[in-house]
Amino acid sequence: MSTQNTTQLTITRPDDWHLHLRDGAALEAVVADTARQFARAIIMPNLKPPVTTTEQALAYRGRILEALAKAGGNPAAFTPLMTLYLTDNTSAEEIFRAHESGQVYAVKLYPAGATTNSDAGVTDLLGKCATALEALEKCGMPLLVHGEVTDPSIDVFDREAVFVDRVMKPLRRAFPALKVVFEHITTKEGAEYVRDAEGPIAATITPQHMLYNRNAIFQGGVRPHWYCLPILKRETHRQALVDAATSGSPRFFLGTDSAPHARGLKEHACGCAGCYTALHAMELYATAFEAAGKLDKLEGFASFHGPDFYGLPRNTGTLTLVREAYQVPDDLPFGNTTLVPLAAGEALAWRARV
Ligand code: DOR
Ligand code: ZN
């Protein structure tokens, strides 16, 4: 397919393989944005308190669909794929229960202290979680990995690369059949590891890490809406991520990591990490793929590689993107406050027709 001068692009309906929806009023404010563009989404479990049991995951699933209906969306057209939050105490029984529920599709590893609401995360993966990892390997459920070391002596820009050597390689040597998704990779080291490693591994890539390098955080002053974790890296890394996402390799697929925080908590002396991209995710990805001259690779990345890796059917519907000037809103309603989307106020060249 030639995509030069493309004015319209219809792809199989995409899924978001990494999403933060929150709870309560925040959930109600954002969930319809995702459901407009995506058929399914892997729902992150880092609530307060975290979603650590199947029972909690099923209850949260119910709240998501309820919130979607309240927000005017169609709960019949959106499937939340639930996850459990791995702790030092997660039992093998809990993993099997999750798998048997048919609604929980993965387990998320947050190294303790790595990011938002990760205090209950894992302190010693191979030491404390071996039985849970064995159970995951046995039932074929993926481990989703926030791949950053938390060692304060490691520079914040190096934490992912160090994680590959210190944690990812030993983990995969110990559990070679474990399905692993290296979430929101941000470095050349991460991308090359996933591209070249043996066995069942894949990675998600966010729109912000394809579109921006770390200069965006400091453009004329501190720009908190470009702050997320793992943090944006230098340009060579951005280019490596674009190469990976647009390569056609089934090991790389879409995961927005859309992570809403109230404006006041982003524009703050100690601002929260996270970019809100659910509103315009496919527009952002189309912009990045077009800039690389690879619009023809968008459908595989957004709609095929994810379900293929998770062993789920591909979607049957479609999504159409139209070349049309679109100005990202300055802010959005968010409970009793507002939410600033990534690239607020900027113009994009694509619009999803939803
Ligand atoms: O930027 C981020 N925000 N990175 C994460 O890992 C968590 C997320 C959040 O929940 O806000
Ligand atoms: Zn995330």
Side-chain angles (χ1 to χ4, degrees):
M1 157 171 82
S2 166
T3 50
Q4 242 185 346
N5 304 319
T6 303
T7 57
Q8 187 166 314
L9 183 64
T10 296
I11 62 170
T12 300
R13 195 158 184 84
D15 302 303
D16 185 349
W17 299 95
H18 185 124
L19 176 68
H20 299 270
L21 282 181
R22 315 302 189 207
D23 214 341
L27 167 62
E28 215 176 292
V30 299
V31 62
D33 283 349
T34 291
R36 263 195 298 279
Q37 301 203 339
F38 298 102
R40 296 171 289 196
I42 282 277
I43 310 300
M44 287 297 127
N46 64 331
L47 303 182
K48 273 189 218 167
V51 179
T52 56
T53 66
T54 307
E55 196 184 343
Q56 288 170 330
L58 298 183
Y60 184 30
R61 184 181 196 278
R63 296 198 297 282
I64 292 168
L65 293 174
E66 225 171 84
L68 180 57
K70 266 198 192 163
N74 177 8
F78 178 67
T79 306
L81 307 172
M82 307 311 293
T83 64
L84 293 191
Y85 185 115
L86 185 68
T87 73
D88 287 349
N89 305 312
T90 305
S91 66
E93 293 71 47
E94 194 59 61
I95 303 280
F96 292 129
R97 202 162 24 245
H99 184 240
E100 279 155 23
S101 76
Q103 308 289 357
V104 178
Y105 288 84
V107 170
K108 177 70 190 270
L109 161 65
Y110 288 105
T115 188
T116 309
N117 299 343
S118 63
D119 303 350
V122 169
T123 61
D124 174 9
L125 182 63
L126 292 181
K128 300 256 169 76
C129 301
T131 51
L133 294 170
E134 246 169 59
L136 277 176
E137 192 176 41
K138 208 179 243 171
C139 61
M141 203 155 63
L143 179 72
L144 314 183
V145 176
H146 183 110
E148 288 191 288
V149 293
T150 53
D151 180 345
S153 73
I154 304 296
D155 190 283
V156 68
F157 292 97
D158 298 333
R159 287 181 186 175
E160 180 175 300
V162 172
F163 185 92
V164 173
D165 289 325
R166 282 197 194 167
V167 185
M168 191 61 100
K169 288 179 182 170
L171 165 69
R172 301 198 61 251
R173 262 197 303 275
F175 298 94
L178 177 67
K179 275 189 174 184
V180 172
V181 183
F182 198 158
E183 296 290 340
H184 44 51
I185 54 168
T186 63
T187 59
K188 190 166 191 289
E189 290 86 347
E192 287 178 352
Y193 174 73
V194 170
R195 185 193 63 195
D196 299 335
E198 301 268 313
I201 182 151
T204 54
I205 303 181
T206 77
Q208 64 267 27
H209 292 101
M210 291 187 73
L211 287 168
Y212 303 102
N213 64 39
R214 64 193 188 178
N215 289 346
I217 312 168
F218 307 106
Q219 200 80 57
V222 176
R223 304 279 196 136
H225 298 292
W226 273 264
Y227 172 58
C228 64
L229 287 172
I231 198 162
L232 296 174
K233 304 296 191 299
R234 64 167 68 237
E235 177 62 11
T236 46
H237 296 293
R238 189 193 69 82
Q239 281 170 11
L241 298 172
V242 169
D243 287 349
T246 64
S247 67
S249 162
R251 289 193 167 187
F252 299 101
F253 47 84
L254 186 158
T256 62
D257 199 16
S258 179
H261 292 280
R263 176 197 280 269
L265 295 176
K266 293 285 295 172
E267 300 172 5
H268 192 274
C270 185
C272 293
C275 299
Y276 186 65
T277 54
L279 174 77
H280 49 338
M282 289 307 300
E283 287 88 341
L284 293 166
Y285 280 115
T287 303
F289 275 70
E290 182 171 48
K294 295 281 178 61
L295 267 181
D296 59 319
K297 294 290 197 288
L298 181 60
E299 185 178 40
F301 177 79
S303 313
F304 297 159
H305 304 164
D308 294 355
F309 185 80
Y310 274 79
L312 293 170
R314 295 175 178 182
N315 294 320
T316 49
T318 60
L319 178 83
T320 297
L321 289 149
V322 185
R323 184 186 299 285
E324 189 178 293
Y326 162 53
Q327 194 179 340
V328 181
D330 290 334
D331 53 29
L332 305 162
F334 191 58
N336 54 11
T337 168
T338 58
L339 172 64
V340 178
L342 185 73
E346 291 182 21
L348 299 178
W350 289 94
R351 191 74 179 117
R353 187 161 281 164
V354 290

